[in-house]
Amino acid sequence: MDYAAAIDAALGRLHAEGRYRVFIDIERQRGRFPRALWRRPDGTSREIVVWCGNDYLGMGQHPAVIEAMHAALDAGGAGSGGTRNISGTTVWHRALEAELADLHRKEAALLFTSAYVANDATLSTLPRLFPGLIIYSDALNHASMIEGIRRNGGQKRVFRHNDVAHLRALMAADDPAAPKLVAFESVYSMDGDFGPIAALCDAAEEFGALTYLDEVHAVGMYGPRGGGVAERDGQLHRIDIVNGTLGKAFGVMGGYIAASARMVDAIRSYAPGFIFTTSLPPAIAAGAAASVCHLKGDQALRDLHQARAKALKLRLRGLGLPFIDHGSHIVPVHVGNPVHCKMLSDRLLDDHGIYVQPINYPTVPKGTERLRFTPSPVHDGPMTDALVRALDGLWSGCALNRTLASA
């Protein structure tokens, strides 16, 4: 086989479909977020404003986080030195897990190198703990959840997105004695819609199922202490396993689950994705712990975040731009064509110094390509003005549809 030709053909298909992903090199500037320097391939640079980052609250620049990381780096060095069970469990890891367990009002928490790994490792391990387990998964669950469920070798059922009646019908058709788990998210990142947590918990309780909630796009930002949408809605006590990330609102890196001490102990003991992975560097753990601790008491930052998102949506609505509004902090602007989506992204960057990555298939279904904006508390009025003016001009110049999406 001509392997080089096969690779060229695969990449060629992406180019032909307008789905080839181009990464730009940026240099984040401490204390100036969301500004950054774009390092062009020709060696020149330009200041840009990042509108698509997942550092939702700017905590990656927060003095408390940076100070904690410096202190841990000076005290403990760069790396952890091993997996968690072979010399890689430090006081910084334990402190972070305690902060996370407290955040979600659970007995224990367990760190992973990312929320993707946490989802994959946990969901693929659960059937070893509960033989015959049936997992009921929302149709729009994240790829990490889908992969973990696929790899576990057990039974799965996919219910229509946020359709509790369909979930009930699927559970009613299965053996009442079989162990069951319902897996869903609190905020779905591509449309920014919320999962009906209370109704899903009602259905799970009715059929004796465990609940597994991915709060990746909600931790730090929702709830009185940043515990997520389940905390905001008073449903934390009904969630058996919470998955979260340290790389978005908390501004650092890593993922975790929070659950009962017994559940965490079992995952810790059986999940290969945990057992055989070098643990997070102490400085990362220390910075994340400082961020979690800070956000438990910073409601003002959460309120400002929501205000910035509402302000952007109000401006877009006034221009009739086709964005999707489900009430969350995520603002997707619908384009519907991968070539146009990439072109708009390029024009925003080249002409206006605005960086937003195009979101194309397979991240979203074909025909729903979009620009996904994530306003933060430090995206100020002038930045929003510049963005809205640029979008208005591009939509007019390219003769794109101006159709308001339904809320």
Side-chain angles (χ1 to χ4, degrees):
M1 180 177 183
D2 188 340
Y3 295 103
I7 293 172
D8 289 342
L11 292 173
R13 288 193 296 272
L14 295 179
H15 282 287
E17 295 169 10
R19 296 195 294 115
Y20 182 76
R21 302 182 185 208
V22 177
F23 304 148
I24 74 166
D25 295 338
I26 65 172
E27 180 182 329
R28 286 165 62 98
Q29 299 175 293
R30 178 180 173 182
R32 305 198 71 234
F33 178 82
R35 295 177 180 86
L37 286 180
W38 169 31
R39 299 293 188 181
R40 296 186 177 108
D42 63 5
T44 62
S45 63
R46 176 182 180 177
E47 184 173 272
I48 61 173
V49 176
V50 178
W51 274 97
C52 58
N54 283 340
D55 187 356
Y56 288 134
L57 301 177
M59 290 302 293
Q61 307 282 305
H62 197 282
V65 175
I66 294 172
E67 181 181 346
M69 295 183 73
H70 274 299
L73 182 64
D74 291 340
S80 69
T83 62
R84 286 293 298 274
N85 64 315
I86 304 178
S87 81
T89 295
T90 70
V91 292
W92 294 282
H93 296 89
R94 288 296 194 192
L96 175 53
E97 286 174 338
E99 286 283 1
L100 294 167
D102 174 73
L103 176 67
H104 294 289
R105 304 298 191 192
K106 301 300 181 188
E107 293 176 342
L110 191 65
L111 284 173
F112 294 82
T113 51
S114 71
Y116 188 108
V117 175
N119 270 334
D120 185 9
T122 303
L123 288 166
S124 64
T125 297
L126 287 172
R128 299 181 65 185
L129 308 178
F130 310 110
L133 178 69
I134 304 172
I135 296 182
Y136 302 83
S137 176
D138 187 285
L140 294 189
N141 275 343
H142 190 265
S144 59
M145 300 173 76
I146 294 169
E147 181 65 12
I149 294 168
R150 184 191 67 79
R151 289 199 311 107
N152 69 30
Q155 299 183 70
K156 68 175 180 181
R157 311 282 186 263
V158 178
F159 61 93
R160 290 185 293 270
H161 179 52
N162 283 348
D163 190 334
V164 181
H166 188 215
L167 169 63
R168 277 199 166 91
L170 291 174
M171 289 196 288
D174 283 321
D175 182 357
K180 301 175 176 66
L181 179 140
V182 181
F184 53 99
E185 300 184 37
S186 60
V187 179
Y188 289 85
S189 63
M190 288 301 108
D191 284 350
D193 58 326
F194 293 96
I197 295 176
L200 290 166
C201 287
D202 288 343
E205 290 174 4
E206 180 182 341
F207 290 91
L210 297 170
T211 50
Y212 186 103
L213 174 61
D214 181 310
E215 288 263 32
V216 160
H217 291 275
V219 288
M221 296 170 285
Y222 296 89
R225 299 195 314 149
V229 180
E231 183 191 36
R232 183 198 71 178
D233 295 351
Q235 302 297 312
L236 265 182
H237 63 289
R238 306 178 74 187
I239 303 300
D240 292 296
I241 305 173
V242 178
N243 169 276
T245 184
L246 303 168
K248 292 184 170 60
F250 294 126
V252 192
M253 176 190 175
Y256 64 91
I257 60 166
S260 69
R262 182 179 289 108
M263 180 71 78
V264 166
D265 192 23
I267 299 299
R268 179 188 70 86
S269 301
Y270 279 89
F274 175 82
I275 295 169
F276 298 105
T277 300
T278 299
S279 63
L280 290 171
I284 296 291
S291 184
V292 173
C293 181
H294 175 87
L295 285 177
K296 286 176 182 177
D298 198 343
Q299 185 59 40
L301 191 62
R302 279 187 283 278
D303 291 342
L304 183 57
H305 182 219
Q306 292 295 318
R308 297 290 197 221
K310 289 177 182 177
L312 176 58
K313 288 186 278 191
L314 182 64
R315 299 288 302 279
L316 296 177
R317 183 173 286 112
L319 294 173
L321 293 180
F323 74 98
I324 303 167
D325 185 9
H326 290 288
S328 75
H329 60 284
I330 295 170
V331 186
V333 176
H334 183 266
V335 179
N337 177 286
V339 175
H340 290 164
C341 201
K342 178 66 169 59
M343 180 269 293
L344 288 169
S345 173
D346 290 343
R347 290 283 302 278
L348 285 168
L349 184 63
D350 292 333
D351 300 345
H352 302 279
I354 292 169
Y355 174 42
V356 57
Q357 191 74 7
I359 306 295
N360 293 332
Y361 176 85
T363 306
V364 295
K366 291 180 178 179
T368 69
E369 293 81 6
R370 66 201 61 186
L371 300 173
R372 176 180 172 272
F373 297 93
T374 52
S376 76
V378 289
H379 282 92
D380 58 24
M383 290 178 187
T384 301
D385 290 341
L387 171 63
V388 170
R389 284 196 301 269
L391 288 174
D392 187 30
L394 285 171
W395 243 255
S396 296
C398 299
L400 296 172
N401 289 331
R402 293 181 185 249
T403 304
L404 282 173
S406 59

